[in-house]
Coordinates of all heavy atoms in Angstrom, one line a residue:
L160 N 108.6 96.5 116.4 CA 109.0 97.2 115.0 C 109.2 98.6 115.4 O 110.2 99.2 114.8 CB 107.8 97.0 114.1 CG 107.9 97.8 112.8 CD1 109.2 97.4 112.0 CD2 106.7 97.5 111.9
H161 N 108.4 99.3 116.0 CA 108.5 100.8 116.3 C 109.6 101.1 117.2 O 110.3 102.1 117.1 CB 107.2 101.4 116.6 CG 106.3 101.6 115.5 ND1 106.4 102.4 114.5 CD2 105.2 100.7 115.2 CE1 105.4 102.3 113.6 NE2 104.6 101.3 114.0
R162 N 109.9 100.3 118.2 CA 111.1 100.4 118.9 C 112.3 100.2 118.0 O 113.3 101.1 118.2 CB 111.1 99.3 120.1 CG 112.3 99.4 121.0 CD 112.4 98.3 122.0 NE 111.2 98.1 122.7 CZ 110.5 97.0 122.7 NH1 110.8 96.0 122.0 NH2 109.4 96.9 123.5
L163 N 112.4 99.3 117.2 CA 113.5 99.1 116.3 C 113.7 100.3 115.4 O 114.8 100.8 115.2 CB 113.3 97.9 115.4 CG 114.3 97.6 114.2 CD1 115.7 97.5 114.8 CD2 113.8 96.4 113.4
L164 N 112.5 100.8 114.8 CA 112.7 102.0 113.9 C 113.3 103.2 114.6 O 114.0 104.0 114.1 CB 111.2 102.3 113.4 CG 110.7 101.2 112.3 CD1 109.3 101.7 111.9 CD2 111.7 101.0 111.2
A165 N 112.8 103.4 115.8 CA 113.3 104.5 116.6 C 114.8 104.3 116.9 O 115.6 105.3 116.8 CB 112.6 104.6 118.0
E166 N 115.3 103.1 117.2 CA 116.7 102.8 117.4 C 117.5 103.1 116.2 O 118.5 103.7 116.1 CB 116.9 101.4 117.8 CG 116.4 101.1 119.2 CD 116.5 99.6 119.4 OE1 117.0 98.8 118.6 OE2 116.2 99.1 120.5
L167 N 117.0 102.6 115.0 CA 117.7 102.9 113.7 C 117.8 104.4 113.4 O 118.9 104.9 113.0 CB 116.9 102.2 112.6 CG 117.0 100.6 112.6 CD1 116.0 100.1 111.5 CD2 118.4 100.1 112.5
A168 N 116.7 105.1 113.6 CA 116.7 106.5 113.4 C 117.8 107.3 114.3 O 118.5 108.1 113.8 CB 115.3 107.1 113.7
D169 N 117.8 106.8 115.5 CA 118.8 107.3 116.5 C 120.2 107.0 116.1 O 121.1 107.8 116.4 CB 118.5 106.8 117.9 CG 117.2 107.4 118.5 OD1 116.7 108.5 118.0 OD2 116.7 106.9 119.5
E170 N 120.4 105.9 115.4 CA 121.7 105.5 115.0 C 122.1 106.2 113.6 O 123.2 105.8 113.1 CB 121.8 104.0 114.8 CG 121.6 103.2 116.1 CD 121.3 101.8 116.0 OE1 121.3 101.3 114.8 OE2 121.1 101.1 117.0
G171 N 121.2 107.0 113.1 CA 121.6 107.8 111.8 C 121.1 107.2 110.6 O 121.4 107.7 109.6
V172 N 120.3 106.0 110.7 CA 119.7 105.5 109.5 C 118.7 106.3 108.9 O 117.8 106.7 109.6 CB 119.1 104.0 109.8 CG1 118.4 103.5 108.6 CG2 120.3 103.1 110.3
T173 N 118.8 106.7 107.6 CA 117.8 107.7 106.9 C 117.0 106.8 106.0 O 115.8 107.4 105.7 CB 118.6 108.7 106.2 OG1 119.4 108.1 105.2 CG2 119.4 109.6 107.1
H174 N 117.3 105.7 105.6 CA 116.5 104.9 104.6 C 116.4 103.4 105.1 O 117.4 102.8 105.6 CB 117.2 104.9 103.2 CG 117.1 106.2 102.6 ND1 117.8 107.3 103.1 CD2 116.6 106.6 101.4 CE1 117.6 108.4 102.3 NE2 116.9 108.0 101.3

Side-chain angles (χ1 to χ4, degrees):
L160 173 60
H161 285 286
R162 184 188 301 120
L163 170 62
L164 294 180
E166 290 174 0
L167 292 173
D169 290 344
E170 292 165 8
V172 171
T173 60
H174 290 65

